[in-house]
Amino acid sequence: GNREAIVKTVVRIICFLTLTTVIRANSYADSLFLEANHFYSNQYYSEASDLYDQLINQGYGHINLYYNLGNAYYQQGHLGNAIWAYEKGLELNPRDSDLKFNLTVANARIVDRVRVPEPFFLLKWYGALKQSFSPSQWLMAISSVLLGSAALSTVAKLWENRLSKILMTVSSAGLMLVILFSAVFADIYFDISDTEAGVVIAHEGRVYAAPSKSSNLLFVVHEGTKAEISSRQYPWIEIELIDGKKGWLDSNLLRPL
């Protein structure tokens, strides 16, 4: 009896302390975000971006946080970090019109703008479909359609009437949609797991044939350029641009997405 009472008391204390810690952490994050917003509204963009980055480094991530950080960096002329922030925000919500607009404006200022040929219209449509939702939103859509199909199927079996066939047809269509959405999600998942990308944040970066400054200089990348990371050899990373150019860059010059 006494032992059980002690255990229950200890559990309650732990739960209370955990809850208090979470509340304090959220309160601290909110106050830091408001302080950063205050700096931004008063045009202290450097101080604002420092506080926004501090929140991100502590594990916080939100569309508004990345949007404000991107704007703060853009106002300072830090194009690479601005593009990085907008890209991170779009990972959370690919359909956010403000983030998409600001990213388009920032991308227009990149020196190394590479024009790639227009893809076949079906590939272009499929690419737009993949980017219409974030991975978590795709999962939510799959779960919702699956639950809806199961509910319709159950109702059709319990109450057999004229509507039963219609409900079963809609349920079957929903299951087909689940299969389609699942295939798209799997493709997105493998894209994310197979590729690692980053944005050049230095004014310019020299790209070498090998992870050494004594090797041949291949080309120069400029701030804001997005590249895939294909290999690492500290403190170097091998990058590949959208036009197929490859080489080794100092890892400090690129901010991973």
Side-chain angles (χ1 to χ4, degrees), residues 47-95:
E47 289 82 356
S49 61
D50 285 346
L51 290 182
Y52 291 137
D53 267 327
Q54 189 176 328
L55 282 168
I56 290 169
N57 291 335
Q58 290 175 8
Y60 295 98
H62 191 274
I63 296 169
N64 293 341
L65 175 57
Y66 287 119
Y67 179 74
N68 291 2
L69 175 62
N71 292 343
Y73 272 129
Y74 190 84
Q75 292 292 346
Q76 296 175 73
H78 298 166
L79 188 63
N81 276 310
I83 289 173
W84 178 89
Y86 296 143
E87 290 274 8
K88 292 294 290 184
L90 285 170
E91 285 180 5
L92 299 178
N93 185 6
R95 294 174 295 159

Side-chain angles (χ1 to χ4, degrees), residues 199-202 204-206 221 237 249-255:
V199 178
V200 177
I201 57 173
E204 67 174 32
R206 294 172 175 268
V221 289
I237 50 173
L249 176 74
D250 186 331
S251 60
N252 293 316
L253 306 184
L254 185 131
R255 190 169 183 176

Side-chain angles (χ1 to χ4, degrees), residues 36-247:
N37 290 345
H38 177 73
F39 277 129
Y40 182 87
S41 62
N42 287 284
Q43 300 183 3
Y44 293 106
Y45 301 120
S46 178
E47 289 82 356
S49 61
D50 285 346
L51 290 182
Y52 291 137
D53 267 327
Q54 189 176 328
L55 282 168
I56 290 169
N57 291 335
Q58 290 175 8
Y60 295 98
H62 191 274
I63 296 169
N64 293 341
L65 175 57
Y66 287 119
Y67 179 74
N68 291 2
L69 175 62
N71 292 343
Y73 272 129
Y74 190 84
Q75 292 292 346
Q76 296 175 73
H78 298 166
L79 188 63
N81 276 310
I83 289 173
W84 178 89
Y86 296 143
E87 290 274 8
K88 292 294 290 184
L90 285 170
E91 285 180 5
L92 299 178
N93 185 6
R95 294 174 295 159
D96 190 283
S97 57
D98 291 330
L99 282 166
K100 287 168 74 173
F101 177 79
N102 285 14
L103 180 60
T104 301
V105 171
N107 279 334
R109 294 183 55 191
I110 297 175
V111 175
D112 304 320
R113 291 182 69 194
V114 179
R115 296 188 180 276
V116 293
E118 280 287 317
F120 184 56
F121 79 95
L122 285 177
L123 292 176
K124 187 177 181 180
W125 175 83
Y126 178 64
L129 176 66
K130 284 171 62 178
Q131 294 176 3
S132 59
F133 297 103
S134 67
S136 59
Q137 289 170 337
W138 274 111
L139 275 179
M140 191 177 295
I142 292 168
S143 302
S144 300
V145 176
L146 185 60
L147 286 172
S149 298
L152 289 175
S153 178
T154 302
V155 170
K157 289 176 180 178
L158 289 176
W159 290 283
E160 292 188 6
N161 51 38
R162 293 178 180 179
L163 288 174
S164 296
K165 289 184 178 180
I166 297 174
L167 292 176
M168 287 301 294
T169 302
V170 174
S171 176
S172 299
L175 289 175
M176 293 297 293
L177 209 56
V178 166
I179 294 170
L180 175 63
F181 285 179
S182 298
V184 174
F185 174 77
D187 191 20
I188 293 170
Y189 175 79
F190 286 121
D191 277 350
I192 294 171
S193 58
D194 288 346
T195 60
E196 185 183 3
V199 178
V200 177
I201 57 173
H203 180 64
E204 67 174 32
R206 294 172 175 268
V207 182
Y208 296 90
S212 170
K213 289 184 179 180
S214 60
S215 63
N216 293 333
L217 176 65
L218 298 179
F219 55 93
V220 175
V221 289
H222 294 86
E223 188 175 10
T225 301
K226 190 176 177 180
E228 286 189 5
I229 302 170
S230 53
S231 184
R232 293 178 179 272
Q233 190 171 319
Y234 185 81
W236 295 88
I237 50 173
E238 187 181 30
I239 63 168
E240 183 174 356
L241 304 185
I242 195 170
D243 59 358
K245 288 182 180 176
K246 291 183 71 173

